[in-house]
Amino acid sequence: NPYILATLLFGLGLGTTITFASSHWLLAWMGLEINTLAIIPLMAQHHHPRAVEATTKYFLTQATAAAMLLFASTTNAWLTGQWDIQQMSHPFPLTLITLALALKIGLAPMHTWLPEVLQGLDLTTGLVLSTWQKLAPFALLLQIQNVNPTILATLGLASTLVGGWGGLNQTQLRKVLAYSSIAHLGWMILILQYSPSLTLLALLTYFVMTFSTFLVFKLNKSTSINALAISWTKAPILTSLTPLVLLSLGGLPPLTGFMPKWLILQELAKQDLAPLATLAALSALLSLYFYLRISYAMTLTMSPNNLTGLTPWRFSSPQLTLPLAIATTATISLL
């Protein structure tokens, strides 16, 4: 029903906006809750057992994170007597809130729900989950000052490593995208303390790249690496572009995805954190490996020639192809 859909999408927008606009912890928590409640019907809309399972898992983790956030902010109000987001001073609620937000966006070691949930959703809802749902918690993370740098460095490094190792033996594309999301978030968290604007840049480029990746897979109707091998016949022009999109997601130099990693490594080196920068750069190689594997499966293997499969791509709808064209161009040539 379009009215219900409109209401839910309005709820999504409203929740994020409330969190953006709030300077009070209770209001921020309310925004996050509205956000969660709005996306749950969207996730379970197909009434497939797998979708319902994913929705339940998502609901439980988000509710836990929100409860932790509420507990931490009340503890903060109890210890320091104020509710302002900007002026968190006590280390205990600060740490707890950082961990709650990390659970909300799926940073390692609180990441295990993300691949499971994403695998159970269709690609459109998965796209919303990978992009829009990260905005509100990130707004809060950017606002809280003086978090212990060790915690952020640990979360960030663990996420880049887990995102690399986890994606290696996956054959399902949505799980690969989930691990790629974890790795990208790790890069953003690494630099959060030293240069918030870089974190935002990384988030923005991640959004553009993820958008085009999800749209490509949606147009191909492919959810596993095997399905990609026959995508030549479904959409030949698109298939020749996809490896570039994937390699951009992995952060290969002439493409857009390289920009945030380059700047982040430079900033880490400026802060005398050479070991951290080295580890992060090495963990990016892990991610690059599985993107290369998908690209290989997609373009460098011979596809079975069936002439009946050649027709559908000529008639694809402009609603999907225009955003796809914009996102793909941006993903490949924004550097």
Side-chain angles (χ1 to χ4, degrees):
N1 189 326
Y3 293 116
I4 294 176
L5 185 66
T7 311
L8 292 175
L9 290 176
F10 173 71
L12 267 183
L14 182 73
T16 306
T17 316
I18 286 178
T19 306
F20 275 4
S22 59
S23 59
H24 190 289
W25 274 116
L26 262 185
L27 207 57
W29 170 80
M30 261 171 55
L32 291 171
E33 283 295 280
I34 293 172
N35 213 346
T36 306
L37 291 177
I39 200 173
I40 278 177
L42 290 173
M43 292 166 85
Q45 63 185 341
H46 293 300
H47 300 297
H48 188 271
R50 187 71 184 83
V52 173
E53 180 193 339
T55 312
T56 313
K57 285 176 178 170
Y58 181 75
F59 174 69
L60 290 173
T61 48
Q62 296 299 312
T64 311
M68 271 172 75
L69 190 93
L70 193 60
F71 172 66
S73 48
T74 33
T75 310
N76 180 56
W78 177 46
L79 291 169
T80 61
Q82 45 98 20
W83 283 91
D84 202 347
I85 295 180
Q86 304 272 353
Q87 293 162 5
M88 296 278 290
S89 51
H90 201 283
F92 174 66
L94 256 174
T95 308
L96 208 53
I97 275 178
T98 313
L99 292 177
L101 292 170
L103 176 60
K104 245 191 184 328
I105 52 179
L107 285 168
M110 283 83 77
H111 67 282
T112 37
W113 60 273
L114 188 58
E116 289 298 317
V117 167
L118 207 56
Q119 180 56 34
L121 304 177
D122 68 320
L123 289 168
T124 321
T125 325
L127 176 61
V128 174
L129 181 66
S130 309
T131 54
W132 187 257
Q133 292 300 92
K134 307 262 189 277
L135 282 173
F138 251 100
L140 293 176
L141 274 171
L142 283 165
Q143 281 183 70
I144 51 178
Q145 268 93 34
N146 51 36
V147 185
N148 185 351
T150 323
I151 293 176
L152 287 181
T154 313
L155 283 171
L157 205 54
S159 298
T160 55
L161 287 166
V162 162
W165 287 122
L168 287 182
N169 61 353
Q170 299 298 335
T171 55
Q172 295 293 330
L173 291 176
R174 284 167 293 186
K175 278 197 174 167
V176 169
L177 285 170
Y179 281 110
S180 123
S181 169
I182 295 166
H184 278 275
L185 289 171
W187 279 87
M188 293 169 214
I189 293 296
L190 275 179
I191 202 66
L192 188 69
Q193 197 92 62
Y194 310 106
S195 169
S197 52
L198 260 187
T199 299
L200 280 176
L201 175 76
L203 191 64
L204 197 67
T205 47
Y206 165 71
F207 276 15
V208 172
M209 296 185 300
T210 310
F211 200 69
S212 62
T213 316
F214 268 97
L215 287 181
V216 164
F217 293 158
K218 191 173 161 57
L219 195 70
N220 276 337
K221 297 187 177 60
S222 46
T223 52
S224 72
I225 294 185
N226 285 343
L228 280 182
I230 54 168
S231 58
W232 262 118
T233 47
K234 291 187 208 163
I237 301 163
L238 192 69
T239 309
S240 49
L241 278 176
T242 313
L244 288 174
V245 172
L246 286 165
L247 293 178
S248 178
L249 207 54
L252 216 63
L255 306 163
T256 311
F258 176 58
M259 177 172 50
K261 289 190 174 168
W262 183 16
L263 294 169
I264 285 171
L265 288 175
Q266 185 187 345
E267 183 62 36
L268 286 173
K270 271 186 198 163
Q271 300 284 348
D272 284 338
L273 295 168
L276 197 62
T278 313
L279 275 169
L282 287 174
S283 72
L285 292 176
L286 293 166
S287 307
L288 194 59
Y289 177 79
F290 60 77
Y291 293 124
L292 269 171
R293 199 180 67 186
I294 298 176
S295 312
Y296 177 77
M298 203 161 177
T299 52
L300 301 175
T301 46
M302 282 293 289
S303 71
N305 281 322
N306 60 335
L307 292 170
T308 48
L310 279 172
T311 42
W313 65 276
R314 300 171 201 272
F315 306 114
S316 54
S317 66
Q319 288 91 353
L320 189 59
T321 43
L322 180 68
L324 177 63
I326 297 169
T328 312
T329 314
T331 303
I332 293 170
S333 55
L334 268 185
L335 180 65

